[in-house]
């Protein structure tokens, strides 16, 4: 099978860290946003409270989703654990950051 990086050329930032907070992967959008931080520990670039929240997500396996305004743009961020094995321990976190347009469609559960 051809080696294909599914997230490299999408229009959202994707960053993956291991359970110790070391950045394992960033797609092109994340590198444009944050610079190339692969191999660095993300706890060094977050406030103490945020770093503790990240540690709790890794410890509990819980996800977090929120909106933020950065540099005048609304963003939707989703942080979720990833696992080496389906029922194994948390191996790290994946963060996806999507720029939200000023106006966007909101559908109900029936797609309306």
């Amino acid at each position: 099978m051809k080696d294909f990086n599914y997230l490299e050329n999408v229009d959202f930032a994707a960053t993956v860290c291991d359970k110790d907070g070391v950045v394992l992967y960033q797609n092109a959008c994340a590198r444009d946003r944050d610079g190339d931080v692969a191999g660095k520990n993300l706890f060094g670039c977050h406030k103490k409270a945020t770093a503790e929240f990240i540690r709790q997500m890794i410890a509990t396996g819980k996800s977090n989703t929120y909106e933020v305004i950065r540099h005048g743009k609304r963003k939707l961020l989703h942080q979720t654990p990833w696992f080496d094995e389906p029922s194994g321990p948390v191996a790290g976190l994946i963060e996806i950051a999507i720029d939200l347009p000023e106006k966007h469609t909101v559908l109900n559960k029936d797609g309306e």
Side-chain angles (χ1 to χ4, degrees):
M1 174 184 262
K2 180 184 171 199
D3 186 23
F4 183 79
N5 187 334
Y6 297 92
L7 296 177
E8 188 59 25
N9 298 306
V10 295
D11 66 353
F12 58 82
T15 303
V16 179
C17 74
D18 68 12
K19 64 182 170 55
D20 298 316
V22 176
V23 176
L24 303 175
Y25 170 79
Q26 298 170 279
N27 70 354
C29 190
R31 288 189 305 274
D32 287 346
R33 179 188 71 180
D34 301 324
D36 186 353
V37 295
K40 295 183 179 171
N41 195 295
L42 60 81
F43 294 122
C45 65
H46 286 85
K47 294 177 184 177
K48 185 177 178 180
T50 303
E52 183 56 33
F53 190 79
I54 294 167
R55 285 185 176 92
Q56 285 298 314
M57 281 191 292
I58 292 170
T60 63
K62 299 207 177 189
S63 295
N64 182 44
T65 303
Y66 62 99
E67 280 188 40
V68 66
I69 298 174
R70 287 194 186 138
H71 310 292
K73 290 185 178 180
R74 287 181 53 230
K75 296 179 181 287
L76 176 70
L77 282 89
H78 182 67
Q79 301 154 322
T80 191
W82 62 274
F83 305 85
D84 283 326
E85 300 173 14
S87 59
V90 173
L93 291 177
I94 299 170
E95 178 184 85
I96 302 215
I98 301 168
D99 288 344
L100 294 174
E102 286 301 315
K103 293 186 178 190
H104 58 276
T105 304
V106 177
L107 300 176
N108 65 24
K109 66 181 177 108
D110 297 321
E112 299 173 357

